[in-house]
Amino acid sequence: MELGARSTALLQKYRPILRETLHLRLDRTKSADVDTISTRSMTQANLTRSVSGGLVGLNNLGNTCFMASALQCLSNIPALTQFFISDAYESEINEKNPIGNRGDLARAYGDLMKQMWCANSSTVAPRHFKSVLGRCAPQFSGYLQQDSQELMAFLLDGLHEDLNRITNKPYINQEDAPENTADSVAAQRAWDNHKKRNDSIITDLFHGQYRSRLECPDCMKVSKIFDPLMYMSVSLPRKEEKIREIDIIWLDPETRRTRYKIITPREGQVIDLLYSAEKVSGLSADRMMLCELSQSIIESTISPTQKLRDIRDGRYSLCIFEREPQLPVIKVYNAYKGYTSYLKYFGNPLIMQVPKREMSYKEFVISLYMKMSRYVQLTEEALQSEDTLPFKIKAVNQFGVEQSHDLCDEDDNLSVQMSSGKPVAYIALVWDMDAKDEYFKLDECNAVDYHDSYRSTKARKNEVNLEDCIEMYCKQETLNEDNMWWCPNCKDFKQASKKLDLWRLPKVLVIHLKRFCYSRHWRDKIETMVKFPQHDLSLKKFMLSTDQSDIKYDLRGVVNHYGGLGGGHYTAYCHSVADDKWHVYDDSHVASCTPEKCNSPSAYVLFYSQQEPERTNGSSNGFEPMDVN
């Protein structure tokens, strides 16, 4: 079926349902705070006079965009919204459920849906819903930014418990199916047991089922468990590469430092970065010393075996110093004291390498001058003694604080051994203020030549398909040491192999793209573009059961996240049955958009609904609500 025909069929299916329930009118008027409207007492006549068709923005009450985006996507699930705005939910509220919210959350959500679909306004201020949500889940009480997917998961689970038709849940012991039990039998038994304790509109629409298979690597014991599924949290394949700016300071004093752009993997070791720099610069990786610079100070030297994620991007700049392998390195800074006793640093740092043979202090000074000769112009007389130099050479520590050590010993030889036995690693050339202005060409010292790679290097296209993500979700993996499985045969925890397969598909499929990665030492957001279909999504290749293998899904909504970790902004794209168009919902702002807008690197949570089988035996004018039982 072509896109236009499918959209028309969908519109024909649901618009009459909403018209019949609400006497749908799509007129919209000025914004109002409809929390003041008592929607609990709305009559059918009120609904006829005040219908907005769901094309309503939600006012931001203070970092509530995460809540608004999830609510807009759920609002545009026709069967769920029809259930609430028709008051069908009232008869199913379970106030006695000990793990529910006495029906408060369901009532608040029902009120909000009526405000969004039945009020004469273009915006709604969801204060009452936010207040009830905060009471039911204290983590959402306040006004800090939260995760939209976590809100969506809690809301669906909370609505389920408030509307659970099971008032007295029986105890059911979950056990592995006997080894010879057919999957179809074990799956149906597990589903029946699930329905004995969980039966609500949320179960009808959002719950599916998957099979988890575990196998012991030693005794080959196999465990199969069929569990319910309310949404899929899928990882994104890490194909990302990172473009880094890096400078190289050469041993040749006449060569300016050169700036490059190189492509490195996000994961890996620093040696991978050095090899990338080697390709564009021609400098051998074993002659490189990688450092983090903070203006004129070397903050740290990075070992080739360190992880790339340990590099503090954005805080410090990366610089490679060319060096002779095996020779000791002294880091050299330029400084002046000005009107205080503290050293103030300027210009680019450089490195000096001292030969293992004994070296006179004068030889060291001349070698130091040769390293700076491109931007420091001294006379031969100035190099004759320490007294005639326009700067004093001082030993400093890694923080740039002056140390009490004389670099010139009694025999006028270079002394690079501290009294503590440690070698001198840092020195500062402390310039006289007038001499600095006269002899030191700061612009030339800081001058940079840009390599062609700086202008030509671009990030390679980084895209994956949704199918790739679902394949990762279902692929076989070996459990890590923090998540081992207890093998009943071996009587011990084992790193078993684990495989997931889909068995029963829900009517509404929610897919969470896991863009946020966390570990003990780092966290990151994955900006990979995930290409997902708007129509005809098929999960046939991931289905273990053949009963539902022909089911296909159409996209209903997308939650987007923009920005970085710990903040950012959420919006939503939703397809509305009210006008058969896609809309962008950005807090209180609602505007129509093209379907192509939905597919972006910011997509975070996807909402799909099953395609309905084509009607072959009924009148074209017959429209019944979706059967969710």
Side-chain angles (χ1 to χ4, degrees), residues 87-331:
D87 285 336
Y89 76 97
E90 291 277 10
S91 62
E92 298 192 3
I93 287 179
N94 185 344
E95 296 182 346
K96 297 181 180 180
N97 189 345
I99 58 175
N101 303 289
R102 301 180 303 279
D104 291 346
L105 187 62
R107 292 188 184 96
Y109 183 80
D111 288 350
L112 182 60
M113 289 301 103
K114 290 176 185 176
Q115 292 172 11
M116 293 173 66
W117 285 83
C118 313
N120 268 332
S121 64
S122 59
T123 63
V124 167
R127 294 191 181 92
H128 176 63
F129 177 82
K130 174 71 169 61
S131 175
V132 173
L133 177 68
R135 292 200 303 268
C136 298
Q139 66 268 32
F140 299 119
S141 59
Y143 295 94
L144 295 177
Q145 182 70 282
Q146 302 287 345
D147 188 284
S148 183
Q149 185 271 334
E150 292 178 5
L151 179 278
M152 181 274 301
F154 170 80
L155 180 56
L156 290 179
D157 190 59
L159 292 176
H160 161 66
E161 296 299 347
D162 271 6
L163 300 170
N164 199 342
R165 301 172 187 120
I166 308 299
T167 56
N168 186 18
K169 296 183 179 182
Y171 173 77
I172 297 175
N173 185 30
Q174 187 181 37
E175 297 179 345
D176 288 0
E179 291 188 10
N180 296 327
T181 305
D183 282 343
S184 58
V185 174
Q188 188 60 49
R189 182 183 299 140
W191 184 252
D192 291 342
N193 287 338
H194 175 63
K195 292 283 284 185
K196 289 176 183 177
R197 295 175 54 84
N198 303 276
D199 187 15
S200 70
I201 183 66
I202 305 301
T203 310
D204 299 337
L205 292 176
F206 292 89
H207 283 204
Q209 189 181 34
Y210 68 91
R211 188 194 74 171
S212 174
R213 183 184 186 276
L214 292 163
E215 183 174 340
C216 176
D218 296 329
C219 71
M220 313 308 286
K221 162 69 177 175
V222 174
S223 169
K224 297 179 184 178
I225 294 180
F226 289 84
D227 282 324
L229 171 74
M230 187 164 68
Y231 56 88
M232 296 171 61
S233 286
V234 300
S235 299
L236 275 60
R238 296 300 300 266
K239 294 183 179 179
E240 288 183 284
E241 296 172 322
K242 185 176 181 65
I243 293 182
R244 301 179 188 270
E245 289 186 15
I246 195 162
D247 290 355
I248 295 182
I249 296 180
W250 306 90
L251 278 178
D252 179 5
E254 294 302 316
T255 304
R256 290 177 173 178
R257 78 176 186 176
T258 310
R259 185 160 296 167
Y260 298 85
K261 276 188 179 179
I262 60 175
I263 297 176
T264 69
R266 282 192 178 271
E267 298 296 323
Q269 293 184 317
V270 170
I271 189 64
D272 298 322
L273 180 152
L274 300 183
Y275 286 146
S276 296
E278 181 181 80
K279 289 180 181 178
V280 296
S281 69
L283 178 63
S284 176
D286 63 359
R287 294 175 62 83
M288 296 180 180
M289 183 179 77
L290 180 65
C291 298
E292 290 178 322
L293 300 189
S294 175
Q295 296 180 341
S296 302
I297 294 291
I298 297 175
E299 286 289 338
S300 65
T301 302
I302 304 174
S303 166
T305 59
Q306 283 184 246
K307 300 292 186 183
L308 283 171
R309 69 170 71 114
D310 295 334
I311 294 176
R312 293 167 286 187
D313 291 313
R315 186 173 180 183
Y316 303 114
S317 58
L318 290 178
C319 184
I320 289 174
F321 290 89
E322 182 186 4
R323 62 167 185 177
E324 294 288 351
Q326 309 305 320
L327 288 182
V329 171
I330 298 177
K331 302 174 181 71

Side-chain angles (χ1 to χ4, degrees), residues 1-14 533-537 552-556 575 577 580 609-612 614:
M1 186 184 294
E2 294 298 322
L3 187 150
R6 183 185 294 107
S7 298
T8 302
L10 188 66
L11 179 63
Q12 289 176 339
K13 175 178 177 59
Y14 285 113
Q534 292 201 0
H535 299 288
D536 298 329
L537 172 65
K552 293 184 179 179
Y553 288 91
D554 291 331
L555 188 67
R556 300 295 310 167
H575 180 269
V577 297
D580 191 30
S609 63
Q610 280 188 21
Q611 293 178 2
E612 289 300 301
E614 294 185 19

